[in-house]
Amino acid sequence: MTPNEIQMLVVGAALGAQLMNLLHMRWDAQAARRSAAASRAARRQASADLFYGSLRLYRLRNRSRM
């Protein structure tokens, strides 16, 4: 191999490594966004369950007083 070909091989390998690093960063950012969205949805669901559970108890208590 000529020195020019060796240099192109090294540069190509370095660029490939950098591009893979950027791709993994993007995948990690997407996973973090999905995880945050799932966490928010679970938190909303849990708060709604708590609210409706307490509302049901409130209605049951008031129904017995009538």
Side-chain angles (χ1 to χ4, degrees), residues 20-36:
M20 284 305 296
N21 191 21
L22 289 173
L23 186 61
H24 283 287
M25 284 174 50
R26 179 185 164 121
W27 287 340
D28 288 341
Q30 285 177 343
R33 278 196 307 272
R34 288 186 187 123
S35 176

Side-chain angles (χ1 to χ4, degrees), residues 39-52:
S39 174
R40 282 192 301 270
R43 193 170 51 237
R44 280 191 205 119
Q45 183 68 37
S47 64
D49 288 346
L50 183 64
F51 172 75
Y52 287 123

